Amino acid sequence: MNIFDCPQRDRLFRSMKMGWYNVCPIDETTGMLLTEQASPYALYHCQQVSPQTIREIKQASEAVGSVLMQAWSVIRNLDEEALLYYGFPQESIRLVKYDALAPFCMRLDWCWNEQTGVKKVVETNPQTPSFWFECTVGNHRVAEHFGLRSPDVNAHDTLQFTLNQHIKRAAVFLDKPLEECEVVFTTLNNAEDLGTMQWLSGYVHRSTIMPLEYLRIQDGKCLFDQRTGKPVDILFMWYPVEWAIHDTDENGEILWPALEKLILQIKVVIVNFGSAFALQPKSVFALISDLGLNFFCGKDAETIFEYFPKTSLNANDIGDSYFAKPILGREGEGGFAVNSGKIVAKSSSNNLWYTEQTYVYQELLEFPKVEIVGEPMTTVWGAWLYNNGYDKFVAGGLGMRVSEGEITDNIAYWCPVGC
């Protein structure tokens, strides 16, 4: 059975309405998908893992979430000079400091190597819908298909409860009855992002999904849907802050000041935006290392010692073996590994926007390998955390990405898991 391309694979993932089980490049001139160049993303395979491994990763993730919530409080109180030092764009600083609605969710990426005993969280991704559907319902469906048990039967319910809790908090923050609020989910018009937002919007009663291209600002008074003219009150927007600050309108005018003003004047609440971005830069782990164990309470200090890799903005602090990544890196872009002073692995994606950024350096870790169709593949675990409504992160779904190379990037596969 070809796990990359076979009729059974097509039927399974189409039945799940997962339109991105293959990845297609986009023609930069026409914007059309180049379907003839499609490459596989979802594997027709289910890797069996122990329930104990699932429990341990979820427990460790919740412990890490406690540290990150504390870090969020610290970041909001840093002065401008410190935020610039840790790589926050100048244009983002006011929003990072004054967006008081706590982050809703994030995905942690783990080096969880049970053979060597190395179990470290390598980064947090609070501003992404990537790998969300897969970890929440995708594993469940594939495990069922292959006769295995779901790795997390509660992932669906946890997401539904916490998401609605946060939407309610957003309405309170807006000082408007929820039933009078226009709730909108938006992202770029591509198969994975829009498909994920369509799936996510199904968890919220009376919400709308729309491509980001139709979102407009009206006279500095409100956000609105260009198609209907309806104002937007609560927005769940998958669109990173570091992109939004550079956007322009058709006349070349920067859009960010108007959007920032709406947010700060609480004329719209964008869920998981400014507060989430506060934890998005990879330099947040360097900040945690710089604060030191004595800064944190006993339990959080133990979590940092056990699960956080040493991270710094200065490679010399780590030594001659480290992994380097851009501060605002995504999907492995621009990352490279150095062992004993020599580059031993490099990302397949090296867009200048990423490689020209300041880098953060992290102790070099040995990621586990899993054998799939006779080939050893590098494994990264992703684990979701959600704000339970009281600013405590609880664990949600989790899943496995695998890659033929040493670095997990945008061409890595989703390997479904079951128990």
Side-chain angles (χ1 to χ4, degrees):
M1 183 72 66
N2 186 342
I3 67 172
F4 302 101
D5 184 19
C6 63
Q8 297 93 325
R9 174 177 176 269
D10 291 341
R11 284 196 294 270
L12 173 61
F13 293 114
R14 285 173 182 168
S15 73
M16 293 164 55
K17 298 181 179 178
M18 185 180 170
W20 59 97
Y21 72 96
N22 288 328
V23 178
C24 299
I26 298 174
D27 187 298
E28 293 184 2
T29 303
T30 65
M32 301 294 289
L33 294 175
L34 301 173
T35 54
E36 70 280 1
Q37 297 180 30
S39 57
Y41 164 62
L43 300 182
Y44 186 67
H45 173 78
C46 195
Q47 186 70 22
Q48 189 166 12
V49 296
S50 71
Q52 180 180 349
T53 296
I54 301 298
R55 283 195 301 271
E56 288 181 357
I57 294 175
K58 292 183 71 172
Q59 289 168 358
S61 296
E62 289 189 348
V64 167
S66 175
V67 173
L68 292 172
M69 188 60 78
Q70 178 73 4
W72 177 63
S73 298
V74 171
I75 290 164
R76 293 185 64 224
N77 286 290
L78 291 178
D79 60 27
E80 181 176 315
E81 183 179 358
L83 289 170
L84 291 172
Y85 171 76
Y86 284 104
F88 286 87
Q90 175 77 56
E91 298 88 343
S92 73
I93 288 176
R94 199 156 47 159
L95 186 62
V96 164
K97 290 179 67 65
Y98 295 109
D99 185 0
L101 187 62
F104 162 59
C105 66
M106 66 180 66
R107 191 193 75 236
L108 304 179
D109 285 349
W110 283 93
C111 171
W112 194 270
N113 196 329
E114 294 180 313
Q115 276 194 320
T116 64
V118 174
K119 299 172 181 178
K120 300 287 186 180
V121 58
V122 293
E123 63 184 46
T124 176
N125 296 281
Q127 271 207 306
T128 177
S130 299
F131 207 43
W132 202 344
F133 171 89
E134 296 90 314
C135 292
T136 308
V137 298
N139 283 322
H140 175 82
R141 292 284 300 277
V142 177
E144 186 177 58
H145 176 80
F146 281 97
L148 297 175
R149 286 181 293 151
S150 171
D152 188 351
V153 294
N154 297 317
H156 173 281
D157 294 336
T158 302
L159 171 57
Q160 184 168 34
F161 174 77
T162 56
L163 177 57
N164 280 279
Q165 282 288 97
H166 214 74
I167 295 294
K168 290 175 184 175
R169 289 183 72 183
V172 171
F173 198 65
L174 197 61
D175 195 23
K176 188 173 183 178
L178 179 58
E179 58 272 15
E180 295 178 14
C181 290
E182 189 72 22
V183 181
V184 172
F185 290 76
T186 188
T187 186
L188 292 173
N189 193 5
N190 66 59
E192 180 180 3
D193 293 350
L194 195 57
T196 302
M197 287 295 102
Q198 287 173 331
W199 160 74
L200 189 65
S201 68
Y203 288 97
V204 177
H205 178 63
R206 207 177 55 79
S207 63
T208 303
I209 173 75
M210 72 179 202
L212 189 66
E213 292 87 333
Y214 294 108
L215 195 64
R216 294 288 186 271
I217 299 174
Q218 185 177 53
D219 301 328
K221 296 178 181 178
C222 69
L223 281 180
F224 72 100
D225 183 341
Q226 185 187 34
R227 300 168 304 176
T228 65
K230 286 185 177 180
V232 176
D233 297 302
I234 299 171
L235 183 67
F236 199 111
M237 179 169 68
W238 156 230
Y239 194 69
V241 168
E242 72 266 27
W243 297 356
I245 60 178
H246 298 297
D247 276 351
T248 59
D249 63 17
E250 58 272 15
N251 298 317
E253 292 292 322
I254 296 289
L255 294 169
W256 179 249
L259 179 60
E260 180 191 55
K261 185 177 179 180
L262 290 178
I263 297 169
L264 296 178
Q265 292 182 349
I266 318 180
K267 292 181 178 178
V268 65
V269 173
I270 305 184
V271 174
N272 219 56
F273 194 55
S275 59
F277 182 70
L279 294 171
Q280 179 66 42
K282 310 313 173 191
S283 53
V284 169
F285 279 33
L287 169 64
I288 291 170
S289 289
D290 291 345
L291 290 171
L293 296 181
N294 291 335
F295 178 85
F296 295 88
C297 69
K299 190 172 181 181
D300 285 347
E302 290 175 15
T303 296
I304 294 168
F305 180 80
E306 185 171 2
Y307 293 125
F308 280 74
K310 186 177 180 182
T311 309
S312 177
L313 295 180
N314 186 340
N316 293 330
D317 292 341
I318 307 299
D320 63 358
S321 296
Y322 54 80
F323 189 79
K325 57 183 110 175
I327 281 181
L328 297 175
R330 292 182 181 274
E331 296 186 320
E333 283 268 12
F336 61 92
V338 172
N339 195 347
S340 300
K342 296 181 180 179
I343 295 178
V344 293
K346 200 170 184 179
S347 173
S348 61
S349 303
N350 291 285
N351 186 294
L352 285 177
W353 195 85
Y354 293 99
T355 58
E356 291 181 350
Q357 292 180 21
T358 301
Y359 272 65
V360 65
Y361 305 90
Q362 204 165 67
E363 66 177 278
L364 191 62
L365 303 172
E366 182 182 352
F367 281 77
K369 302 281 187 179
V370 62
E371 189 170 302
I372 299 174
V373 293
E375 293 291 331
M377 294 196 180
T378 304
T379 303
V380 173
W381 279 93
W384 283 87
L385 289 174
Y386 303 116
N387 191 321
N388 68 352
Y390 301 96
D391 294 345
K392 178 182 178 182
F393 282 120
V394 295
L398 72 174
M400 183 188 289
R401 294 283 302 273
V402 298
S403 55
E404 294 164 351
E406 295 297 321
I407 297 176
T408 303
D409 52 24
N410 62 345
I411 60 172
Y413 306 112
W414 167 41
C415 178
V417 297
C419 295

